[in-house]
Amino acid sequence: MRFFSITCAALLMSSSAFAQAYKPVCVPTHLLPPANYPGAEAIPPGNNLVMPAGKSIEAEGQKLILTGRVLDNHCMPIKDATIEIWQANPFGRYVLATRADLMTPAPTFAGAGRGYTSNMGEFIFTTLFPSGVEKRAPFIGVRVKAHDMKPFTTQIFFANDGRNTTDPVYAKLKGDAARTVTISMRPLSGVNGYIGTIDIVLPEKAKYVSY
């Protein structure tokens, strides 16, 4: 009986150690200021910046599919979060499509967009690869607003872009701070473009999730 008790205790300790060893670790995405944020009212709705609703022709440029998840700091997906992106266009200008632009048949790059996360925290945007502006490397601004959580903003940079080393924001980031805001890309099959995936980990625990 004593041997059985010791064995059970050892198994429980072993199970606890195993659980701790394999507990998911979510490093919060580095908070960065909302550079050139146009304001929620100015951002056109929709997650396709290349061919906004009502258009039949895509805007010209190198396509970029941006996918990812929004998670809390315990790695739990956050559903129904609002996620906004904004960026410079392929010619290095911040130009938002107006209502008049969106009503014409001419191709129009929206310049910004708004989407919502799925029940698995997933999001997707179709956009164009941005150009660098002045001394900045190419980046995409991101703002996330989840239920009962503070709005979160950051900037997403592109891996292996030589301009990152001289960017006044990115060049100051080290270790996890840089890793969490850097996206790697792979070519899109049969299309002049890329696809990249990044997790945006918020610094808070989702209040409506129990675990």
Side-chain angles (χ1 to χ4, degrees), residues 65-135:
I65 306 297
L66 179 64
T67 69
R69 299 178 298 169
V70 175
L71 309 171
D72 75 358
N73 62 4
H74 283 63
C75 298
M76 297 299 292
I78 299 179
K79 67 177 182 178
D80 298 328
T82 302
I83 179 166
E84 298 170 336
I85 69 169
W86 64 96
Q87 63 173 90
N89 65 23
F91 307 101
R93 298 178 60 203
Y94 281 91
V95 180
L96 288 183
T98 65
R99 181 174 298 180
D101 293 330
L102 296 175
M103 292 178 65
T104 69
T108 300
F109 178 61
R114 178 184 296 109
Y116 303 91
T117 58
S118 71
N119 60 348
M120 295 301 293
E122 300 163 325
F123 64 85
I124 183 169
F125 286 92
T126 302
T127 185
L128 297 177
F129 196 90
S131 176
V133 179
E134 296 179 348
K135 296 181 179 180

Side-chain angles (χ1 to χ4, degrees), residues 28 37 50 53 78-79 90 99 107 125 130 142 146 149 156-157 164 171-172 187 189 203 209:
Y37 179 58
V50 179
I78 299 179
K79 67 177 182 178
R99 181 174 298 180
F125 286 92
V142 177
M149 301 175 79
I156 294 176
F157 296 83
N164 290 342
K172 297 177 182 179
S189 178
V209 177

